[in-house]
Each structure stands twice: as C-alpha cells, then as structure tokens.
Amino acid sequence: MPKAAGIDLGTTNSVIAAMVDGHPTVVPSAEGARTTPSVVAFTPEGERLVGQLARRQAILNPKGTIYSAKRFIGRRHDEVSSELNAVTYDVVGGPDGVVRFPVGGKQYAPEEISALVLRKLADDAGKFLGERVTEAVITVPAYFNDAQRHATRDAGRIAGLEVMRIINEPTAAALAYGLDKKGNETVLVFDLGGGTFDVSILDVGDGVVEVRATSGDGHLGGDDFDRRIVDHLADEFRRDNGIDLRQDPQALQRLFEAAEKAKVELSSVTQTTINLPFVTADASGPKHLNTTLMRSTFEQLIADQLERCEGPMRQAMSDAKITADDIDEVILVGGSTRIPAVQSLVRRLTGGKDPNMTVNPDEVVAIGAAIQAGVLKGEVEDVVLLDVTPLSLGLETLGGVMTKTLERNTTIPARRTETFSTAEDGQTAVDVVVLQGEREKASDNRTLGRFRLENIRPAPRGEPQVEVTFDVDANGILNVSARDKDTGAEQRITISETTNLDQGEIERMIRDAEQHSNEDARVRMCIDARNELDSVTYQVEKRLNELGGSVPEHERARAQMLVDDARQAIKEEAPVDRIRSLTAELQQIYHGLAATASAAGAGAGPGGAQEPRPTGGEDVIDAEFTTDE
C-alpha cells in the first residue's frame, strides 16, 4: 500500500517523516541528511538540481538558484516588495501580477519551485521506506491566509502528491509533543523559522490537541537576520575599500552563506570569524574580507526584529484569555529559536519559563505532520486535532466596511451563516465580496474572491433576506454560498482562484513535472550506468597492474583497448546502450583476469579469501576511491 508522509515544507529547510512500525520517524534524504535545503537550481547546461546539490553550486550560479520561495507562495507581486531584500535573486510580476522567478528565459511560479522540493522529499522517502509516497499531510505557518494554503496544496498536486490535509506548523509541533501526554497542559508553541513567525496557544492531553489562539508575522524569520549581517558586512567593506559587494551577485551570494554560517555559530560561541578571500577585485588587485562578528553585535543588529515577536505573543495570550502563569510548557520550533537572544525573549515573555528542549526544533513539525497522516490512514488511534482559522473572514458591506462572519481563532472545521439585505430599492442582484483580515475598512483586508447573486425579488431596500454561509474545512480552506430566502436563488464559490494560478496553468505544471520527472529518471539512469562503467574500468586497470607480466599479451591488449574505449565513452557521455555494452565486456575481462590471478596464486588473500566480484554503481564499496559530489 502506498505510504503517507508528513512534510514540513520550510522556507530554508524541509523535512519529511512517516510512520514506521507505529512510530513517527524522520526520513533522511538521498544525501543522508535529516533536513533538505529548500533550494532549487537551474544550471546553464539545463539540469535541475534540488536540495543540497542546488545549494552547493549557488555561489557560481546565483542567478539560477532559487531559495526561500515559500515567502512568496500564494502572493501577488505588489504584496512582496518589502521582502525582496531578503533574497538575492530577481522576482517579477507575471500574468495578473503574480510572483514569478525569471531563470534562463523562463518564469517559474513559487508553487513550481516548492513542488520540486516536495517531489524530492517524496522520492527520497520512497527509496528509504521501500514503497512509494503518494499521500501527504503538509504543514503551513499558522498565519498563512487562504490564498497561501491553496497555493501550498497546489504545489503538492504539481509534485504528484495527494494532499490529505493542510495543518498549521505550531499545531503539528504540539501534536508531536502531546502524543504521550495523559494530563491536560497549556502549551505555547513559539515557531520562528526562515521566513515566518507564529505563536500558538494549545491545550494538549488525553490524545486531544486543541488550538485556543494563534498569531504571528508572515514576514519575519532567519532570512531577515541573515540580511542584517550581510548589510553590516557590506557596509564595513564599503567603508574600508570603497566597493559595495551587494552589487556583485557572486559576492553577495558568498556574503549570504557566510552570514548564515556566522548566525549559526553565534548560537554556541560569543564571537566568530568571517573570512572570504578574493571576494572581489579592483584595479589595485584582489580584495579579501576578514572580520570578527561578536554575538553582542549580532543581537544589536536584529534587536528591532526580535521586538516584532512581542506583539503576536501578547495577542495570542490575550485571545486565549491566559497569562504567562497559565502556561505549562513552551515549545520552540524552527532553527532560528536556537539563537540565545530569541530564547531570552521567550523566557521574559513567559514569566521566566525555560523552553522545553526535549523536541528537535528542526524536526518536530514534520513528526507531528506524520502523526496526523497516520491518523488519517488509520495507523494512529485516539488522537484528535482541533485547529483554528488564523484570520477573520467576512464580507464587504455598505460603506466599504468589513463585516466579520467568522472571527479569528474559531475552531475548524466551522460553519457560520449570517443574514444580509439589499442596499437600494428594487435591487435584483448583490455582489458578494469575500474578505480575510482584521481591519475595519474592506480595502485594507485581502479580497479572497467575489461572486454575484442574481434573481432577487425586487423590493424596498432592507426587505430581501440573503443568507450568506461561510464553511471552512479541516484544511482551513473556505467555501462561501449566498441564498435569497424568498426566491431560493443560490450561488456559491470555493475560494480557489486566490492561488493566483488558474486551473489550466496548474495542469500544465503537473504535466511539466511529470515530464521532467521522467527526464530526471533517464538522467539518473545514465549517470548510474557511467558510474558503474567507471568503477569496473578502475577495477580492471588495477588488476592489470597487479598481475603485470602474468597476463597474456593478447588479453592485456584487448583489456587495455576496452579500458580506453570506456574512458572515451564516459568522457563523451555515450548512449546508455554503449555504456552497458562496455560494462558487460569489461566485467567478462575482469572475471578472466581473476581466473588468471587464481592460477598464478594471486587470487586469494590471507586464509584463501576469494576476490570480490565487481558490480559497479552503488554495490561496489572500495575504500581506495570515492566520488566527489
């Protein structure tokens, strides 16, 4: 049976977990790491790299490398101008003003980039688990709006996954933490990742995880801290050398990598050295950046950004009607919570409580998502998840104001019906404008969608009765319907166009993803075949050298000819059939050489151990050679 997984699709790194023998287990990537960088690269040769491989080549290919795409998923270009300083690549407005990443003459939507990351996670997990991963629970920041949730679901579809549920990241973290809690506890989840910040108050215990309140800032995270370090280093370098490194894409990419490394190191040491040799050059020669960054300096650089965490913290506690004394546990989620200044802030705002450090902040969200996937698949019992809608939902009414129908922090799934009327005499139709946000003025909130209800009976204003129903499902996704109680005329809408991508474009992306998946499989097959040929060629050459003159001249000549042909085929990237043919011939040569060695008394080691049979590829383990990635 296909496996279901839980995926933490992160701004900086992503994690996938699944239920293994009844326990949620983080699945390592193909590179052996427990986290996968949320990075995608398009090389000049036309290759697509995802994860660690994409991150490694970012310095040499900054314009072709995309990261932090999650910051822009489900958003329009005019909404993200304030965040463009957190990335080093260009972002443009595509059709209808949606965000696009221009690379190599093409434009990619954030959903496409996220889908590539999701596909790699699922493929790596499938290889590890021994069965395909086709279903997933995907987490999103609690403060993601309806458009961003839809876009995340679309990214899963483009990746070829059935998205079973979209759940909030803090809720998933609490689910992982509270699985074995018998008594009831009030838990505060402080989630500060690469691009978003959430804080949630939850009641956990007896297999029930109930969200009481959530708040946050969708534009705050570790990327912003990195930018502060980058600006600090660039300003110092410009003062000393008169050169602004931010104008050089490769130098800027090196600065960002150095800034992230320094940020991580300053969580465990009080100062760190940043050394970037040959970072740029001018007429006088090459220039080097070599400086020391103190933890105290870093904390000063990000002090105002940390202060932005206080408002959502206090808002969440106020909405949940609790004080710091009512909090039993504080759970930290996201890599940025390892920063000592962040932990000090949490202690101060929670009345001196030390955060619970028994959960890994990088993995706890994926583990919680895996548990929810297990619940939906029937692998986990006696667990109930009660989430909330993070922002209020309502309609635009007379005077351009927002009338709220579903208040924020309403437990979902939820259904609310309100009755409205007409604004003018004889009005036979009404425009229903669906809004999301907390502002009083309709134009200050996000418009999720609009539709028109017609065939209303003409009557004096205020007399017709129009019932408007808001229905939010367990994924936090909204359906709205309007019905004239007198005539029975009804109109409904699923708020789906807020993904910014129309259905035709999503279907095209799905087809492209499948096509590229097949291409990627063929490329991998060719690479594996070349690696196998290279391994067998190495073994034959090694054996020829060991046996020396004991090999008949005609056999040596034929073996050497095949070795030369193999080297040439690898260099020219010959067709896979040619590669496999040479591999088979060289394996036969190797077996013949092994027989010659045995006859000469050289085929066995101490105790008569038999010579290993070369198979190449992943099955060959030889301490004398490695493959550089």
Side-chain angles (χ1 to χ4, degrees):
M1 181 176 68
K3 203 73 173 166
I7 298 177
D8 174 12
L9 179 61
T11 304
T12 308
N13 293 290
S14 296
V15 185
I16 186 168
M19 300 299 296
V20 178
D21 297 328
H23 300 284
T25 304
V26 172
V27 179
S29 68
E31 295 77 28
R34 294 172 70 85
T35 62
T36 295
S38 302
V39 182
V40 173
F42 300 88
T43 70
E45 295 77 23
E47 284 187 279
R48 299 186 314 168
L49 306 175
V50 184
Q52 192 61 47
L53 296 179
R55 187 170 185 173
R56 286 177 184 169
Q57 56 80 70
I59 290 177
L60 298 178
N61 181 30
K63 290 296 184 181
T65 304
I66 300 173
Y67 58 93
S68 298
K70 178 180 173 180
R71 295 186 79 125
F72 307 106
I73 195 167
R75 305 179 67 195
R76 301 175 65 83
H77 187 256
D78 56 10
E79 297 176 329
V80 303
S81 57
S82 64
E83 294 170 68
L84 296 183
N85 65 353
V87 295
T88 60
Y89 50 78
D90 295 323
V91 174
V92 300
D96 301 324
V98 301
V99 171
R100 288 290 190 278
F101 307 124
V103 179
K106 296 183 179 180
Q107 293 186 358
Y108 298 90
E111 290 89 332
E112 288 182 273
I113 301 304
S114 297
L116 291 173
V117 176
L118 291 170
R119 186 68 261 163
K120 173 175 171 52
L121 291 169
D123 287 345
D124 288 354
K127 292 173 184 175
F128 179 85
L129 298 168
E131 50 189 321
R132 288 186 60 205
V133 173
T134 60
E135 299 173 302
V137 170
I138 303 178
T139 64
V140 296
Y143 230 53
F144 257 25
N145 62 31
D146 191 77
Q148 292 166 301
R149 291 169 191 268
H150 267 290
T152 303
R153 176 180 283 277
D154 286 341
R157 289 180 57 204
I158 295 167
L161 295 170
E162 179 187 338
V163 182
M164 305 163 67
R165 184 72 57 86
I166 298 288
I167 65 172
N168 292 336
E169 290 165 1
T171 306
L175 190 61
Y177 167 79
L179 186 62
D180 58 351
K181 300 298 177 184
K182 299 305 178 186
N184 290 325
E185 293 183 359
T186 298
V187 177
L188 183 145
V189 179
F190 186 98
D191 184 353
L192 184 60
T196 57
F197 165 61
D198 298 308
V199 58
S200 295
I201 309 294
L202 308 96
D203 285 336
V204 175
D206 282 329
V208 177
V209 176
E210 181 177 4
V211 183
R212 294 177 59 179
T214 190
S215 188
D217 187 332
H219 321 307
L220 176 65
D223 286 354
D224 303 289
F225 303 158
D226 295 346
R227 168 58 74 169
R228 289 295 174 87
I229 298 177
V230 166
D231 287 338
H232 171 72
L233 297 175
D235 290 342
E236 282 195 339
F237 192 87
R238 182 172 57 181
R239 185 179 64 245
D240 296 339
N241 299 279
I243 301 173
D244 189 350
L245 295 176
R246 287 164 293 204
Q247 303 306 311
D248 181 343
Q250 289 194 359
L252 182 58
Q253 184 64 39
R254 292 183 69 186
L255 276 181
F256 265 100
E257 294 196 0
E260 183 184 13
K261 183 173 180 286
K263 175 187 69 177
V264 171
E265 290 177 351
L266 288 174
S267 293
S268 54
V269 298
T270 57
Q271 68 178 41
T272 185
T273 299
I274 299 173
N275 184 20
L276 296 177
F278 302 98
V279 69
T280 190
D282 61 10
S284 64
K287 302 293 181 182
H288 316 292
L289 188 154
N290 194 340
T291 188
T292 298
L293 182 64
M294 306 289 292
R295 181 190 288 177
S296 58
T297 302
F298 171 55
E299 291 176 349
Q300 292 169 21
L301 293 174
I302 65 171
D304 63 316
Q305 293 176 326
L306 291 184
E307 288 177 5
R308 287 168 56 186
C309 296
E310 294 192 28
M313 284 273 288
R314 300 187 190 283
Q315 182 68 59
M317 286 192 280
S318 172
D319 289 347
K321 298 179 174 55
I322 64 168
T323 65
D325 293 337
D326 298 317
I327 298 172
D328 297 308
E329 290 284 358
V330 178
I331 301 175
L332 300 183
V333 178
S336 297
T337 60
R338 289 189 170 92
I339 298 173
V342 172
Q343 296 180 3
S344 297
L345 172 71
V346 174
R347 288 190 186 93
R348 177 167 62 82
L349 295 177
T350 57
K353 289 184 174 62
D354 286 325
N356 185 307
M357 306 301 288
T358 62
V359 290
N360 186 326
D362 293 324
E363 300 176 357
V364 65
V365 170
I367 289 174
I371 293 171
Q372 180 63 20
V375 170
L376 297 175
K377 295 286 285 185
E379 300 176 55
V380 178
E381 298 179 353
D382 301 326
V383 175
V384 178
L385 178 62
L386 300 174
D387 216 331
V388 297
T389 181
L391 296 166
S392 297
L393 297 162
L395 300 177
E396 179 178 352
T397 54
L398 187 64
V401 299
M402 176 178 174
T403 299
K404 296 176 182 177
T405 300
L406 271 173
E407 296 281 350
R408 72 173 185 268
N409 294 320
T410 298
T411 300
I412 58 175
R415 183 182 178 90
R416 295 286 189 279
T417 299
E418 296 282 351
T419 300
F420 298 88
S421 191
T422 52
E424 297 178 3
D425 293 337
Q427 189 172 338
T428 59
V430 293
D431 290 314
V432 180
V433 181
V434 184
L435 304 171
Q436 186 172 37
E438 305 304 325
R439 306 287 294 277
E440 294 299 323
K441 205 173 165 185
S443 59
D444 292 333
N445 296 294
R446 171 144 190 159
T447 300
L448 295 182
R450 62 181 69 226
F451 61 92
R452 189 173 180 85
L453 177 64
E454 299 179 327
N455 299 321
I456 296 175
R457 178 178 60 82
R461 68 177 186 176
E463 184 175 315
Q465 300 288 292
V466 178
E467 285 186 341
V468 179
T469 299
F470 282 66
D471 193 344
V472 183
D473 65 18
N475 296 300
I477 293 174
L478 174 65
N479 292 271
V480 180
S481 63
R483 186 177 71 89
D484 178 13
K485 294 175 70 174
D486 186 19
T487 66
E490 186 172 3
Q491 182 63 268
R492 62 179 63 245
I493 182 174
T494 298
I495 306 298
S496 57
E497 66 270 23
T498 57
T499 60
N500 296 330
L501 300 175
D502 61 38
Q503 190 61 30
E505 192 170 7
I506 293 172
E507 295 299 332
R508 177 193 61 77
M509 291 178 184
I510 292 173
R511 290 194 301 271
D512 287 349
E514 292 173 349
Q515 177 185 343
H516 283 295
S517 177
N518 294 332
E519 290 176 2
D520 293 344
R522 285 194 294 270
V523 169
R524 178 58 185 266
M525 179 180 66
C526 293
I527 292 173
D528 288 346
R530 287 198 296 269
N531 287 341
E532 184 176 7
L533 178 58
D534 183 68
S535 177
V536 176
T537 302
Y538 170 83
Q539 295 287 353
V540 170
E541 282 187 310
K542 179 182 177 184
R543 180 44 52 88
L544 285 174
N545 292 332
E546 290 173 351
L547 294 177
S550 62
V551 180
E553 191 60 33
H554 70 282
E555 290 185 18
R556 176 177 291 277
R558 181 169 181 271
Q560 191 59 54
M561 180 187 70
L562 286 172
V563 165
D564 293 342
D565 287 349
R567 293 292 183 211
Q568 190 67 21
I570 293 171
K571 181 179 179 181
E572 295 177 352
E573 298 185 358
V576 69
D577 291 343
R578 172 64 173 158
I579 294 289
R580 287 174 174 167
S581 174
L582 285 169
T583 300
E585 290 186 77
L586 280 169
Q587 284 178 335
Q588 289 181 349
I589 290 289
Y590 184 86
H591 296 323
L593 293 175
T596 299
S598 179
Q610 190 175 0
E611 194 65 28
R613 175 180 180 270
T615 57
E618 297 177 349
D619 295 327
V620 172
I621 301 175
D622 192 323
E624 296 181 22
F625 67 94
T626 59
T627 301
D628 292 329
E629 295 182 332

